[in-house]
Amino acid sequence: MSDPLERLLLSGDAAVARAALDCGVHLGVGYPGTPSTEILEDFSRLGGKAEWAPNEKVALEVGIGAAFGGAAALVTMKHVGLNVAADPLFTVAYTGVPGALVIVSADDPGMHSSQNEQDNRNFAKAAGVPMLEPSDSQEAYDLTREAFRLSHTHQIPVLLRMTTRTCHSQTVLRRAAPIRITEPDVYQRDIKSRVMIPGYARPAHRRLRAKLAAIEQEFNASELNYVVEGDRALGIIASGVSYMHAREAAPEASFLKLTTTHPLPVALARKFAAGVERCIALEEGDPYLVENLRAHGIPVEGKDEAYRFGELNVGLVRGILANAPAPEPAPPKGRPPQLCAGCPHRTVFATLARQNCIVTGDIGCYTLGVLPPFEAMDSCVCMGASIGVGLGLRHVLPPDEARRVVSVIGDSTFVHSGITGLVEMAYNPPPTGHLVLIVDNGTTAMTGFQEHPGTGKILDHSPSSKLSFEDLVKSIGITRVHVIDPTEDMRAFSDLVKECLDSGELAVVIARRPCLLAERKQTATERAAASKSCTP
Amino acid sequence: MHTMKPVTNVIIAGVGGQGVVKASDILTEAVFRAGFDVKKSEIHGMSQRGGSVASDIRFGEQVLSPMVPPGEADFILVMSEDEAQAVESQLKEGGTLLTPESLPGYIDEDADEDEDEETRLRLRCMNVALLGGLSTLLDIPDSCWREALCANLPKRAWEFNEKVFQLGRELVDK
Ligand SMILES: Cc1ncc(C[n+]2csc(CCOP(=O)(O)OP(=O)(O)O)c2C)c(N)n1
Ligand code: SF4
């Protein structure tokens, strides 16, 4: 093992992976999503056991089971993934875990690669789960370990909130000596804690609130939250990367560095606010700190509403401190992204544009079908929504309009949350029928080419059972199922789409052609692996 | 009492596929090996699809924010002229902008990149040539640059990249 005190330069994601390894995490499970994806990829590369689940809900459930078995489980996802996993989250807060369970929520203020910029600090409060927030890679490393300790000590799931900046910035860190938090052993039955029928859930809710009260006391005295003494004229309360921006923007001020976003160390914050002339809570996104501190009667200033949008930086923090109006958002600079030249999605959207379809879209590389030259997408809400939204339109539009509606969904997205939509389609078929186009490029391209159940390979690219979309669709009760390579003969593809739309039946077309970049990457790795195996 | 030692701010910009991230990895590693505190931040969500990419590298005794504050870049490197416009406003007064035009003679104007292998390779390694140019403006030991290049490039590419790095050093028009 390398020297634990060695100086390392790591991204926040890599730091979380390293920490998970250094505190004996038994299982890492998640679903890809920028900016969280690299955590499990790195954990696997370092030798940890890591897997991609079909979606975030399943990932969290697997993590819960592992932690019920006494293991330390790490579950990773992007912010919107926590919406999908919210159902198990809110109740595992009640059950607690005998092992340790840490859930990483990687938020994306500014929406660098997301469909919204929801602030998941609100989830910690709503679900009643402790949340820690690192502001650089050293803290990401330290707080991952601390989150596991906290989870095991208080038998409670813990959220670690990262943001795009903390996930993807590389900063210097030093590791600490490896430890083991918990070990799975013979199953310890605990029906009243883990079977949430109302009679058992009522006391479980009370137990949760008592745990949170104890944790709040701990956080008030903990070194995780600390005061940096400065000029008493200005006191700033901040957490995450906002703390770094603020220290730089106002080096002379006093600071309360908050690491425990939930429960908030209310007594500590009250004392800090009372000791400074002007106290301001400096935060990115929603006014979470301001509202929650004020609810406890702590007089803190917030920021103007115009600063709610996007990421903060040193310049914007200076603006907030000076009560200056927020600058107009800068128009997007540089070149917008595009589908790669030769991307198989191109022919699909060229065809749909030509046939003047109403396209309910979904999330992935293929969302770029909305941009010129195609402009062949009419909606994109969340993963899986293409099918339900398409069905809704089909049900209400006049028949001639309804017949133009097509749902387009990627292969990874289909497995993630498209299957239940297809069941709905077979169960409540619209009068004009419907067409679902699965654009199957054999990878999760958007987030960097991860495997999924449809590729027949697991996270480290080794083989596993392969989900057959054709068989699945037929078993749901949809008989018109076609598999076609859209690039081989564009005319044939176009004719097939038209035929399905004209049939007035339920149809699924699987447009199967590998992603160009994924194929290239695969041959490169195979070549590298082959050359490696030649050397003794 | 609260004065901070100055931090050096560098932005490297281009579009996906031009080696922006590679160049910023090399620079970051070089300053890391030279013993500085360093933070590097970039957004690479859609870069695979040819969108714009920019990477912020900040180093000094202690670095706080990972992002270069607006208008405070000491150095900006852009991989092609047409990307310069998008980031120029980030340059502070008296800062230095390095573009392919800052390396006169690096590319033979009369050569055809489809015909001439040397020109094609030099274009592909523009990121490392520009780093060579930047290296004359920073106080980082040669050994750190060399180690950073080797750590971030496959062995078969070392020789050519060391060559273009040196070319960048010699040709740069400060
Ligand atoms: C709930 C949720 N989880 C994760 C993501 C991140 N994400 C965006 S698209 C996508 C999948 C893309 O794969 P696929 O559907 O196969 O399309 P491709 O990019 O390959 O064209 C993922 C994981 C998200 N937007 N929402
Ligand atoms: S990465 Fe693959 S799926 Fe995405 S645009 Fe390029 S070729 Fe298409």
Side-chain angles (χ1 to χ4, degrees):
Chain A
M1 164 159 282
S2 54
D3 172 14
L5 292 178
E6 161 195 21
R7 210 168 143 254
L8 297 172
L9 178 66
L10 293 179
S11 71
D13 280 348
V16 172
R18 198 63 73 114
L21 195 80
D22 286 351
C23 69
V25 166
H26 300 90
L27 180 65
V29 53
Y31 181 74
T34 313
S36 69
T37 314
E38 296 91 328
I39 299 173
L40 289 187
E41 290 178 333
D42 273 358
F43 184 57
S44 174
R45 253 194 301 276
L46 292 168
K49 181 172 166 55
E51 53 186 53
W52 293 131
N55 67 27
E56 294 87 353
K57 178 176 187 290
V58 176
L60 178 51
E61 289 155 352
V62 171
I64 291 170
F68 278 173
L74 173 71
V75 182
T76 69
M77 59 195 67
K78 69 183 290 166
H79 60 339
V80 284
L82 203 54
N83 300 336
V84 178
D87 206 3
L89 174 71
F90 277 64
T91 302
V92 74
Y94 282 22
T95 66
V97 291
L101 177 62
V102 172
I103 303 147
V104 177
S105 164
D107 292 13
D108 189 15
M111 296 176 272
H112 296 288
S113 43
S114 304
Q115 66 268 36
N116 75 24
E117 56 181 335
Q118 67 185 58
D119 185 334
N120 279 5
R121 294 180 297 173
N122 298 303
F123 258 123
K125 188 180 179 204
V129 172
M131 174 178 270
L132 307 181
E133 269 192 274
S135 51
D136 61 13
S137 301
Q138 180 72 64
E139 289 191 10
Y141 178 85
D142 295 341
L143 294 181
T144 301
R145 295 171 56 126
E146 174 60 19
F148 276 103
R149 187 202 63 78
L150 192 71
S151 173
H152 185 59
T153 309
H154 293 276
Q155 312 264 287
I156 194 169
V158 174
L159 277 164
L160 184 75
R161 178 179 183 252
M162 312 273 289
T163 61
T164 302
R165 287 294 159 186
T166 45
C167 286
H168 283 169
S169 295
Q170 289 187 11
T171 75
V172 180
L173 71 86
R174 289 182 196 277
R175 288 162 72 190
I179 46 167
R180 310 279 307 177
I181 302 278
T182 172
E183 294 301 337
D185 200 348
V186 281
Y187 183 70
Q188 299 290 331
R189 199 173 195 198
D190 185 357
I191 295 174
K192 288 189 178 168
S193 294
R194 293 182 210 145
V195 183
M196 289 295 98
I197 54 173
Y200 296 160
R202 287 183 197 112
H205 186 197
R206 289 173 191 276
R207 276 200 302 278
L208 169 63
R209 295 298 151 186
K211 280 184 197 176
L212 289 171
I215 292 170
E216 182 180 327
Q217 289 315 313
E218 190 179 314
F219 284 173
N220 270 317
S222 157
E223 287 173 1
L224 294 173
N225 304 306
Y226 54 89
V227 171
V228 180
E229 301 279 358
D231 190 340
R232 285 174 184 270
L234 176 63
I236 298 176
I237 303 180
S239 61
V241 75
S242 309
Y243 170 73
M244 293 294 178
H245 301 325
R247 284 287 312 273
E248 186 159 339
E252 71 296 338
S254 295
F255 279 86
L256 171 56
K257 157 77 161 81
L258 272 188
T259 296
T260 67
T261 310
H262 187 258
L264 285 172
V266 173
L268 182 64
R270 195 184 306 282
K271 191 162 158 242
F272 177 78
V276 294
E277 281 164 43
R278 177 189 179 202
C279 186
I280 178 163
L282 223 150
E283 54 190 326
E284 204 166 62
D286 293 347
Y288 172 89
L289 294 176
V290 173
E291 285 177 359
N292 286 289
L293 292 171
R294 282 188 188 156
H296 284 98
I298 302 172
V300 285
E301 215 181 286
K303 58 181 182 187
D304 187 83
E305 173 67 9
Y307 288 97
R308 181 197 286 256
F309 310 98
E311 280 190 294
L312 291 183
N313 58 36
V314 174
L316 291 172
V317 169
R318 287 187 188 126
I320 293 173
L321 292 174
N323 287 324
E328 284 296 307
K333 291 181 210 150
R335 203 184 295 182
Q338 279 187 353
L339 290 171
C340 301
C343 171
H345 295 329
R346 284 181 169 264
T347 46
V348 171
F349 288 106
T351 303
L352 296 175
R354 216 172 310 112
Q355 299 199 13
N356 195 22
C357 294
I358 299 171
V359 179
T360 56
D362 225 301
I363 306 193
C365 276
Y366 52 96
T367 314
L368 293 173
V370 69
L371 298 179
F374 312 106
E375 297 180 273
M377 194 171 288
D378 294 282
S379 72
C380 168
V381 181
C382 66
M383 284 186 76
S386 58
I387 302 183
V389 172
L391 292 170
L393 281 172
R394 282 262 183 178
H395 281 304
V396 301
L397 287 179
D400 279 347
E401 287 290 284
R403 273 188 271 276
R404 292 166 53 212
V405 181
V406 179
S407 299
V408 177
I409 187 166
D411 48 342
S412 188
T413 304
F414 176 67
V415 180
H416 178 279
S417 48
I419 299 171
T420 42
L422 219 52
V423 173
E424 159 71 5
M425 170 160 118
Y427 186 54
N428 291 307
T432 56
H434 188 46
L435 170 59
V436 172
L437 234 161
I438 304 178
V439 284
D440 181 5
N441 60 1
T443 186
T444 316
M446 180 77 200
T447 46
F449 318 109
Q450 289 75 30
E451 307 289 354
H452 61 71
T455 69
K457 292 181 194 153
I458 55 174
L459 186 143
D460 67 4
H461 310 293
S462 59
S464 181
S465 127
K466 183 175 161 100
L467 173 67
S468 158
F469 294 165
E470 309 72 307
D471 293 350
L472 177 74
V473 173
K474 283 181 201 146
S475 75
I476 285 174
I478 296 159
T479 47
R480 195 181 260 279
V481 185
H482 303 276
V483 180
I484 187 168
D485 177 345
T487 61
E488 199 176 87
D489 179 351
M490 258 186 87
R491 185 62 187 270
F493 177 69
S494 179
D495 289 348
L496 179 64
V497 169
K498 184 160 188 325
E499 178 194 316
C500 290
L501 288 174
D502 289 347
S503 75
E505 294 174 13
L506 300 180
V508 172
V509 169
I510 301 167
R512 182 168 289 151
R513 172 83 193 190
C515 154
L516 209 73
L517 284 197
E519 245 189 346
R520 253 185 235 154
K521 202 175 157 200
Q522 198 180 1
T523 34
T525 10
E526 275 165 12
R527 224 185 296 128
S531 70
K532 217 179 272 166
S533 59
C534 295
T535 50
Chain B
M1 156 175 84
H2 297 291
T3 47
M4 293 273 203
K5 295 251 167 60
V7 164
T8 303
N9 295 319
V10 185
I11 296 176
I12 305 183
V15 294
Q18 290 182 331
V20 169
V21 174
K22 186 56 85 184
S24 74
D25 282 343
I26 294 168
L27 170 59
T28 308
E29 178 135 3
V31 296
F32 173 70
R33 284 173 186 262
F36 290 103
D37 186 22
V38 54
K39 290 189 176 177
K40 145 175 148 137
S41 177
E42 76 224 345
I43 296 300
H44 41 63
M46 298 280 243
S47 58
Q48 260 150 353
R49 262 59 68 184
S52 294
V53 212
S55 182
D56 290 10
I57 302 104
R58 314 189 70 203
F59 61 95
E61 199 172 284
Q62 190 197 8
V63 183
L64 293 166
S65 169
M67 296 148 83
V68 173
E72 292 185 21
D74 299 286
F75 304 99
I76 297 182
L77 269 62
V78 287
M79 299 297 141
S80 54
E81 301 303 329
D82 49 343
E83 285 293 310
Q85 198 205 339
V87 284
E88 248 168 358
S89 61
Q90 298 300 319
L91 200 62
K92 79 169 188 206
E93 237 183 88
T96 306
L97 176 72
L98 290 174
T99 74
E101 279 181 7
S102 316
L103 305 178
Y106 175 69
I107 296 297
D108 178 359
E109 296 299 331
D110 303 325
D112 176 355
E113 71 169 292
D114 297 325
E115 302 272 305
D116 185 40
E117 175 76 357
E118 175 74 15
T119 304
R120 198 178 59 79
L121 285 174
R122 282 192 183 196
L123 275 171
R124 176 132 44 100
C125 297
M126 183 62 80
N127 56 348
V128 172
L130 285 169
L131 280 181
L134 178 69
S135 72
T136 62
L137 302 164
L138 299 178
D139 192 14
I140 296 168
D142 274 1
S143 59
C144 298
W145 281 111
R146 198 155 310 115
E147 287 163 12
L149 279 170
C150 293
N152 284 284
L153 295 166
K155 200 164 181 174
R156 60 188 150 76
W158 287 359
E159 200 183 327
F160 193 79
N161 277 281
E162 286 210 25
K163 182 177 109 176
V164 299
F165 185 81
Q166 284 307 331
L167 272 173
R169 286 182 76 98
E170 289 157 21
L171 296 173
V172 70
D173 168 13
K174 287 182 234 177

